[in-house]
Amino acid sequence: MKIKLSATFEGKCMICGKDKTVFSAGDEDTKKVITICEDCTKGIGDVPTSKVIEKYGKVDDKAFSGQGMSIKGLDKLQSELKKRKEDSKKV
């Protein structure tokens, strides 16, 4: 299973049906995608993303046809942020 996530955008949550700030998560293998708001995400709790996609997701072939973006050097950035946080606690 390879899960892809979108950035947040204004749209309709597939669980509560409300127009809110949402994001999408999808499984490349099954082509199932879920669009979900923050409130519903919090309500689901510790359920793995794969289970949420399996239960609520709808097949959407178009969601995986575009060019994705790749983030490189994230580990270096996280290390720098951790260092800054530690330095700020010393002051």
Side-chain angles (χ1 to χ4, degrees), residues 13-60:
C13 177
M14 292 173 73
I15 296 177
C16 69
K18 296 179 182 174
D19 287 318
K20 294 183 167 189
T21 300
V22 295
F23 73 95
S24 293
D27 178 356
E28 271 192 333
D29 297 333
T30 65
K31 305 291 188 215
K32 280 189 168 187
V33 177
I34 177 79
T35 300
I36 188 169
C37 68
E38 182 179 4
D39 293 335
C40 288
T41 302
K42 289 178 182 176
I44 290 171
D46 293 335
V47 177
T49 305
S50 59
K51 297 284 185 193
V52 176
I53 293 170
E54 188 178 308
K55 183 174 181 178
Y56 298 104
K58 305 285 184 216
V59 175
D60 182 359

Side-chain angles (χ1 to χ4, degrees), residues 52-82:
V52 176
I53 293 170
E54 188 178 308
K55 183 174 181 178
Y56 298 104
K58 305 285 184 216
V59 175
D60 182 359
D61 291 327
K62 295 178 192 173
F64 299 95
S65 63
Q67 182 73 19
M69 77 182 230
S70 176
I71 300 173
K72 297 182 180 180
L74 190 57
D75 54 338
K76 184 177 178 182
L77 179 61
Q78 288 175 328
S79 174
E80 179 64 28
L81 289 172
K82 184 177 178 180

